Every structure is written in C-alpha cells, then in structure tokens.
Amino acid sequence: MRRPILVLLAAALVTGCQPPAEEPAPPPGAELPAPEMPADAPPQEEVEPGAAAGVPSPATDGSCRSQIGEAAAARLVERCVMVSPATHPPCNVANPCALIQGEIDRACALYGPGETRPAECSA
C-alpha cells in the first residue's frame, strides 16, 4: 500500500525539478510592448543620461576642481602638499575640497604653541 504513495511522491519531485517552459522569442524586427509599472509602484526618479552608466557629470562629480575651479583647487592642493606629513595625503584636485582642507587643518594642528608654523597654515 505504501508503494503507490512513494511513486506519486517521486513523480511529483521529479516534475517539480523540471525547468519552466520558455516563451517563444518574438520574430526579428517585431516591436516589443513598452513595460508597464504596477499601479502601486512608488514614483520613479528621473535619471540623467550619463548617470545611468555611473558616469558623473563634471558639475556634480564632487571634486575640488569642479567645486572651486582648476586654479583655486591647484593652489589648495599645493598648500596641502607643503604641510602634510602623510605618506599618501589626500592632496588631489579630484578629492572634495573639504577633504583637502581637512588635511591642511590636521597637519597644521600638529605644531605646538612654541613652534613656527609654515606660511601655508595661515593662508
């Protein structure tokens, strides 16, 4: 009596392991219907063309160069390089200006009250 149940169970397991039937591909040149959002989907944000590929636009890339301009960023980086004792300081125009200024502030704070700070610390 147990044998038919085992056979049915095995058949059900084997059937459940089968890959789903594939839908036929549309013929070449056929127009695909536009995807539709479900009625309860949250609102979607508009995406700039370059942002979809992960490429930031020059105005929004967050670099010091885009924040204050090439010349001013270069001067800030030069000050950073002059005062930073770090082996790999963040003194680069591609970094945010706040990060570069933070490194200048950190390096200048290392000097004691009786020590002479570089001129770059007071600029």
Side-chain angles (χ1 to χ4, degrees):
M1 202 85 94
R2 285 187 140 192
R3 186 172 223 148
I5 293 174
L6 290 177
V7 171
L8 289 174
L9 182 58
L13 288 174
V14 169
T15 305
C17 292
Q18 300 297 321
E22 293 184 22
E23 293 184 22
E31 230 178 273
L32 297 175
E36 294 182 24
M37 294 295 290
D40 61 345
Q44 304 296 306
E45 294 181 20
E46 293 295 321
V47 178
E48 294 180 23
V55 179
S57 66
T60 61
D61 68 356
S63 70
C64 190
R65 180 187 304 116
S66 69
Q67 292 173 345
I68 62 174
E70 184 69 40
R75 285 192 301 273
L76 190 64
V77 165
E78 186 177 334
R79 284 181 54 216
C80 181
V81 169
M82 295 296 288
V83 298
S84 178
T87 55
H88 298 291
C91 308
N92 188 316
V93 294
N95 288 331
C97 294
L99 182 66
I100 299 168
Q101 184 62 53
E103 177 63 14
I104 294 169
D105 296 342
R106 182 192 74 80
C108 291
L110 296 174
Y111 289 91
E115 296 177 310
T116 304
R117 293 180 179 191
E120 290 79 15
C121 287
S122 58

